[in-house]
Amino acid sequence: MRRSLVVAIAAAAIAAPLAIGTGTASAAPKAKAATAPVVDFNKDGYADLVLGAANATVGGKQEAGYVAVVYGSKSGAGQAHRKVVDRAGAGVPGDVTEYGRFGKELTAADLDGDGYTDLVVGAASGGTVVLWGSAAGLTDAAAELPGAGGSLAVGDFDGDGHRDLVTQEYKAAPESDDTGMTVSYGPFTRGGEAARKDAIGFGSFRELGEFVAGDLDGDGVDDLVTSHGFEDRAYGSRFWKGAKSGLGHTYKGLKASVGGAVADVDGDGYGDFVTRDNGSSNEDLDSDAGTVRVDYGSKDGPAATRTTKITQDSPGVPGVGERGGYVGDVYYSGDQFGASISAGDADGDGYADIAVGVPGEDVTAARKNVLDSGNIVLLKGAKSGLSGKGAQAFTQTTPGVPGASEKSDKFGAEVLLSDVNGDKKADLTVTAPWEDGTYRDSGAAWVFKGAATGLTTAGISSFGPAALGAPEKDARLGERLAR
């Protein structure tokens, strides 16, 4: 039987960082933000949260889905100021349908250029829609985004100051018979029409995994990383450079990856690509112990040699990396260190930190080994780069964290660093979509406050669907977080 993790509040013992490759950093570009713009629907200076519940039963329709919005405030994520949106909402295109899975994909950006963040909601059916921000928050008015579907991401890919939307497409470009992407350049009209669009093909058998956007070459224009695979095989990821003319049609090949974030973890002015390393195969992702990889940014984009890998077995990182398997007849997943990743400056030192979800972690609770209850780890950024030095870890068994570690909660399935209380330190939102409420697997979220020492258990807020006045049945609240 594999060992379980007992997590303390205190940071792990300080240790030397992992070695970095021999590549050297280029001259630093002009200083810029280390993370993406704040999601702020009412422009009050506090980050707002959006939690998807695509599996929820709505109006008696199984897996119809909804999204829940929790607004930030000086006191944090205020459950009293919230909004629940589904297809039955006034102005939202489409109907509440079984298996419609409204909220399956989420992203947020100021698409129409009015200064208020807007919310883009994807679904399994019924089309992708945008809800417009305003001084009062998200409005009831929404527009369908023609042709948008699948994976979603936002960035300023042509550097004109307007946010752009990239979406998955099939047969998107003349040179491709297979999958591709469409870049819809802002500003958008209130009818959902982009200023212009561009289709980019991926070529044969390059199924899309995820998009990750951010400035990786320090030129002030956002770039894009796409991950690819076919069935269980993982292909190399691709770096698409942004420029004044828009996102390029040619790419630079990268090592294979799954998801991630772009942020400046070493303070050199270049965004770094922080991702989950999946080797050459996606077959074992569920049973894998998990590895986080940092490909450091440069004037040429993500470096091929200046890279770092971090696991739970790295110096300073709490816990032990463990693969999945069977205990008797019961299967348990691997730790999946890096199953979710988010970037933000939690301790206010000017370096981006990285929150890592470990949803398959087993935890010792009441002297019992609780399978797949979940864990989160905060890795600290520093001039030397990302490492386990000063890392923190938390489970529902950690003193001060509400709730209890239970089998298959998968605490850490989604993580998001954002400043919800406006104190210039990123707070961490953690979800456990399989947390039980009145109904099984209704889901829940926790918001940890950022502090000078990193994350703190003081004043954690936690809530499930019932606290938000949202449907609970099968909701799996927090399977997606807008970012």
Side-chain angles (χ1 to χ4, degrees), residues 245-266:
S245 58
L247 208 60
H249 282 236
T250 59
Y251 63 87
K252 171 185 174 181
L254 305 177
K255 295 181 286 291
S257 62
V258 179
V262 174
D264 189 2
V265 298
D266 60 356

Side-chain angles (χ1 to χ4, degrees), residues 292-308:
V292 169
R293 189 182 79 232
V294 186
D295 295 335
Y296 287 91
S298 73
K299 67 180 180 60
D300 299 315
T305 56
R306 188 171 178 247
T307 186
T308 298

